[in-house]
Amino acid sequence: MMRNPSIIAELNTFEEKKTQLKEEITEAKANIKNVDMQIEDLLGPEQKKSLEILKQHDKEMNDFSEEVKILKEKIKLQEKDLKNKEQEQDKFRSKFKALFAKRDKINEEISKTENNIDGKQEKSRELEKKVNVVSLDKARINAELAGLNEEFKEYEGVKLFKNKSQEQIKREIWQFEKMVNDIGAVNMRALEVYEQADKEYKLLMEKKEKLSSEREDILVMMNEIESKKKELFMKTFNVINENFRRIFSMLSSKGQTFLEIEDAKDLFNNGLLIKVRISGKKYLDIRSLSGGEKTLTALAFIFSIQEHEPASFYILDEVDAALDKRNSEKLSKLLHE
């Protein structure tokens, strides 16, 4: 059977395939080795760099932990100081209610005075416009006067007509005009002075018009900026106020709260008020609440800002110190969500 040509041919073919497979295996191993070397070249430096970054990160975490400890100690001291100041504030408010009423009256008078000042400033701006117009007229008149003075230099030393009749003056003028015609010379200096003064006057008028145009553009731009600023503020305020209502309702099942702008006509020179209703129908200022109620309100406000524009991280240290077990559980659930 070994001499069967077909079997021998198959064996030869098998050997050739075997040889070919060995060559392919050898080539594949070489390629794998080459790829391993390339991976080592590419990932080796990155791995080393990553290890260095991790070491640096560990160091920063240690530094951060130390800083957190220091901050915790500071916060404890500040909370203690805050409690003392709140007690002093309560005493102060009980003793000096009359002063607060007087302060409100003074603030009202200050507001009226500021309105009067605004009116006077507007009048001052009107007067400034008039002064600018007068200055331009003065410059024009000075230019014309300079031209006249320059023209009058030709007549220095000439005696003025005094005690002469109109007919005598006319006759002398006619005689001088005849003399001028006989002389035939014309003084062109006056025209040059006039042209120079006229040129300066036109230049000043162009500057005035340019400044007026630029002033109007600046006022328009200021009004646009103020409008956009107010629009952005109110948009942000409405979002945070809605978040504040919703989050507070998650922490207090019976309470309601909202933000209130002190002066809607003057947003950026006044503040915001936090109105809270825990029970009953009356809304109270946050300063009139208990420690636990203040904590829930403050946390709801912080989370409402966080939902609008989140920060990278938050550190909350013993925020449940003034809360009972039930409210602490609500806070934990909210934080989990």
Side-chain angles (χ1 to χ4, degrees), residues 9-22:
E10 290 179 1
L11 288 174
N12 291 332
T13 302
F14 177 76
E15 289 294 333
E16 289 177 358
K17 288 185 178 180
K18 181 178 179 182
T19 303
Q20 184 180 358
L21 288 172
K22 285 182 179 180

Side-chain angles (χ1 to χ4, degrees), residues 71 81 94 109 235 285 293 302 310 324 328:
L71 289 173
D81 186 45
S94 62
E109 293 176 355
K235 182 178 180 181
D285 188 86
E293 292 168 346
I302 290 172
D324 56 19
S328 296

Side-chain angles (χ1 to χ4, degrees), residues 29-81:
K29 288 181 178 180
N31 290 334
I32 291 171
K33 185 175 181 181
N34 187 25
V35 170
D36 290 339
M37 291 177 66
Q38 291 179 358
I39 291 172
E40 182 65 25
D41 293 338
L42 291 173
L43 298 182
E46 292 295 330
Q47 183 179 9
K48 185 177 179 181
K49 185 177 180 180
S50 298
L51 292 174
E52 292 177 355
I53 292 173
L54 288 173
K55 290 181 181 179
Q56 181 66 23
H57 182 265
D58 291 338
K59 182 179 178 182
E60 291 177 354
M61 285 297 295
N62 292 331
D63 295 339
F64 179 74
S65 298
E66 292 298 325
E67 187 175 355
V68 168
K69 291 180 181 178
I70 295 172
L71 289 173
K72 285 182 177 180
E73 293 297 327
K74 289 183 178 180
I75 290 172
K76 289 181 179 178
L77 294 174
Q78 290 176 354
E79 286 180 345
K80 183 177 180 182
D81 186 45

